[in-house]
Amino acid sequence: HDYCFLPQGNGRWLSWLATLSDEFCIAPGTPFSQILVPTTCTAQISFLLLTMVPQGYRPLIVGPTGTGKSVCVAKCLANELPAGKFSTLSLGFSAKTSAQMTQDIIDGQ
């Protein structure tokens, strides 16, 4: 999973690392939980979201704890998709979260 296929023109394979910006800077005062360091994994997640969500598909993003999945998804949905067409609702779940609690939160929005 180190490469992606770009279909433009005759098509070509490109390393996921090559899709990342050369400029990465963390703004002063950014909360630690909001820092997203661009990696191959974050490039893949962003690509999947930007490809699937506008087409009406609902991707399930899974992976090891602490790899930045939640922050990557939140930033992609909030900053890279058209705000007039998409809105976000972030829910935190625990072992005590019930289906009714989830429904009440969604209905309250």
Side-chain angles (χ1 to χ4, degrees), residues 74-92:
K75 285 194 175 197
C76 183
L77 294 176
N79 302 329
E80 298 182 37
L81 292 173
K85 186 173 180 180
F86 298 97
S87 63
T88 62
L89 173 62
S90 181
L91 302 174

Side-chain angles (χ1 to χ4, degrees), residues 15 27 38 44 47 59 69:
S15 166
Q44 292 168 340
F47 173 81
K69 298 177 301 293

Side-chain angles (χ1 to χ4, degrees), residues 1-70:
H1 303 85
D2 295 331
Y3 292 86
C4 60
F5 184 75
L6 301 177
Q8 294 84 4
N10 293 329
R12 65 185 176 109
W13 290 97
L14 183 68
S15 166
W16 283 108
L17 289 175
T19 67
L20 301 175
S21 172
D22 290 336
E23 296 181 23
F24 172 67
C25 181
I26 300 171
T30 302
F32 182 76
S33 63
Q34 295 300 308
I35 296 172
L36 181 65
V37 177
T39 65
T40 298
C41 186
T42 61
Q44 292 168 340
I45 291 171
S46 294
F47 173 81
L48 285 173
L49 289 171
L50 293 174
T51 301
M52 296 177 73
V53 171
Q55 302 301 318
Y57 294 99
R58 299 177 198 110
L60 176 63
I61 308 298
V62 298
T65 302
T67 56
K69 298 177 301 293
S70 297

